[in-house]
Amino acid sequence: MKEIIDRVIIASDINERDGIGVEIYRNDELIAEIFRDDTDKIRAIRVFKENISVELMEECIKIFKKEIPWEFIKYD
């Protein structure tokens, strides 16, 4: 059974962290966020729901890679 992702929000954050990411919703419930932090130079996943299938997580990562540039912003 294919899991349905019904909404993807692309959002930047400059308050607590500095970068851009995607929020992934399924059935109007936030299930995961994948964020590229340009200050700390990391890409991180936060999961908001228990028991997410590997297939759904792979789909979330695929969306992140498609929507968010992979390279970190370089600050001088």
Side-chain angles (χ1 to χ4, degrees):
M1 180 176 141
K2 182 160 175 68
E3 307 215 39
I4 305 290
I5 293 174
D6 57 11
R7 186 167 36 136
V8 175
I9 295 177
I10 300 169
S12 63
D13 188 351
I14 58 171
N15 288 327
E16 296 178 20
R17 51 195 181 166
D18 185 14
I20 189 166
V22 293
E23 294 177 348
I24 314 278
Y25 291 81
R26 184 169 169 234
N27 300 323
D28 282 325
E29 180 182 2
L30 178 60
I31 58 167
E33 172 198 63
I34 307 177
F35 191 78
R36 185 195 75 205
D37 188 313
D38 292 320
T39 301
D40 294 336
K41 305 288 189 248
I42 63 167
R43 293 170 199 89
I45 298 173
R46 280 196 322 182
V47 178
F48 299 97
K49 185 175 179 180
E50 292 184 32
N51 299 323
I52 291 178
S53 70
V54 170
E55 292 81 12
L56 182 56
M57 187 54 60
E58 287 174 336
E59 185 65 24
C60 292
I61 293 168
K62 183 178 173 183
I63 290 168
F64 174 80
K65 287 181 173 182
K66 177 183 174 206
E67 300 293 338
I68 304 300
W70 194 251
E71 300 80 26
F72 295 106
I73 293 175
K74 295 177 181 146
Y75 296 107
D76 294 330

